[in-house]
Amino acid sequence: WYPAWRGLWRSTDGGLTWTRVYSEYSVSFAVISPGYAQDRTILIRPTGYHWNGTILKSTDGGDTWQEISNGLRSCCGAFAYGIGLIVFSPGYLRDQTIFCVEDGMLKKTINGGLLWQRIDSDWPYPMPPGPMGWVRGVAPSPSYESDQSIFITADKGLYLSSNGGNKWEQIWSGD
């Protein structure tokens, strides 16, 4: 896979030849499901003013695409930095969980992208940042399905949730 200006490219022969599978807009990045061999799922973040809060999903290896942005801001506004990061749960095939960082806020879906909810703060949506500051990174535990642990890096340190993002504890302040 190669996200590029004016599209997403796919090779099925180890990089000898490439086919453009998405050409409507440029693609900032692509994320492949950990179970791609079984589910053929790939997510992309198109670029451009009108695509800031959008994620596109393919479940057929890039042949067709659907928008999965319900609960995301979908553009513009005072804090419109868009989608900066997308991370699949290691058990995505079974739990359908995906995380994304949008405008410095951590969002999660538990249904493959049908609905996204903010989980980094109990502050009223959509005002970033929360008490942790802007979220910069997210890493679900390799055993996320069973332990529901998520680590995030934010402006004010490193945080851990052991219950899927319902409650957070600062485990390092960065000082």
Side-chain angles (χ1 to χ4, degrees):
W1 295 96
Y2 175 61
W5 183 79
R6 298 302 285 163
L8 179 69
W9 298 78
R10 173 180 63 199
S11 176
T12 57
D13 59 8
L16 295 175
T17 60
W18 293 87
T19 304
R20 187 170 20 195
V21 295
Y22 175 80
S23 61
E24 190 171 343
Y25 292 93
S26 298
V27 175
S28 293
F29 56 84
V31 183
I32 311 299
S33 163
Y36 180 80
Q38 292 84 24
D39 67 16
R40 302 193 62 209
T41 299
I42 182 170
L43 305 177
I44 61 172
R45 194 268 197 193
T47 61
Y49 183 74
H50 295 289
W51 288 100
N52 276 351
T54 299
I55 298 172
L56 297 181
K57 177 181 182 179
S58 174
T59 56
D60 57 14
D63 294 331
T64 61
W65 296 93
Q66 67 180 23
E67 185 175 340
I68 57 164
S69 301
N70 188 14
L72 301 178
R73 291 162 46 111
S74 294
C75 182
C76 319
F79 298 102
Y81 295 102
I83 306 299
L85 181 66
I86 302 171
V87 178
F88 280 99
S89 159
Y92 175 75
L93 277 171
R94 293 171 297 282
D95 66 24
Q96 295 291 289
T97 301
I98 309 166
F99 303 92
C100 80
V101 175
E102 178 196 35
D103 293 342
M105 301 176 286
L106 181 62
K107 304 280 185 84
K108 175 175 113 172
T109 178
I110 57 171
N111 53 22
L114 296 176
L115 179 63
W116 296 86
Q117 294 184 325
R118 184 175 182 184
I119 63 167
D120 67 314
S121 169
D122 58 1
W123 283 28
Y125 181 82
M127 293 300 296
M132 300 176 217
W134 290 74
V135 175
R136 306 293 181 181
V138 57
S141 158
S143 304
Y144 177 78
E145 280 184 281
S146 60
D147 66 21
Q148 295 288 292
S149 294
I150 312 162
F151 295 89
I152 62 171
T153 56
D155 290 341
K156 298 179 182 177
L158 179 64
Y159 294 81
L160 168 66
S161 172
S162 298
N163 59 8
N166 293 318
K167 184 172 169 77
W168 294 92
E169 124 184 51
Q170 185 179 42
I171 58 175
W172 184 66
S173 68
D175 295 332

